Amino acid sequence: MTKAKEVKQPVNEVDLIWEGWLNGFKTIQNLQQDISERSLQAFENQKELLNSTRATLTQLEAESNKISEEWKSSLQKTMKESDKERYLPLASTWLNQLDEINSTVQALSWTPSKVMLDLFSQSQVQLESNVKNVLDQQQKGNAELLKSVEKLTDQLKETHKKLLAGI
């Protein structure tokens, strides 16, 4: 009867050893999954930042246009109130030139920022798509690997038990 206890005890230890090893493997896979989820969350944070930047840029452009229009209206009003005969032809030409300069400056100011923001947004969307595809493939591979490792662990556990039973 003592011999039966000896055989039974190593079998339980064998289960503990291999189950501990398998749990360690599963922990590593869970850490990989957590890293994947955090990577996807980083993309969401980037989207929020890009949207916020786009909204701020649009607001700044609208405010700049508003200030420019107010300035132009004020200048036109001042010119109309002054000596019309003497300044009106010159003022009209001058205001048209200022309007052209202002439009050019605004285009040069806002267009590069918008283009860069759009380019960055497109790159971010493409990168996110690629990362999602890779993570999906990795997850499928991890699921298949886990099944194989579980089968292998069961086989090793049984072989280990048979070896100990034969001793």
Side-chain angles (χ1 to χ4, degrees), residues 9 13-14 26 30 39 44 52-53 79 97-98 110 153:
Q9 189 175 4
E13 290 172 357
V14 168
K26 288 178 181 178
N30 287 337
S39 297
E44 290 303 316
S52 174
T53 302
M79 294 303 252
Q97 288 175 343
L98 280 177
W110 300 114
T153 302

Side-chain angles (χ1 to χ4, degrees), residues 26-45 131-132 134-136 138-139 142:
K26 288 178 181 178
T27 299
I28 291 171
Q29 280 198 321
N30 287 337
L31 288 172
Q32 288 176 335
Q33 181 63 30
D34 186 49
I35 290 169
S36 298
E37 290 170 8
R38 289 175 191 251
S39 297
L40 294 176
Q41 183 59 47
F43 282 111
E44 290 303 316
N45 294 342
V131 167
K132 281 182 177 180
V134 167
L135 292 176
D136 286 344
Q138 181 182 359
Q139 191 173 18
N142 284 347

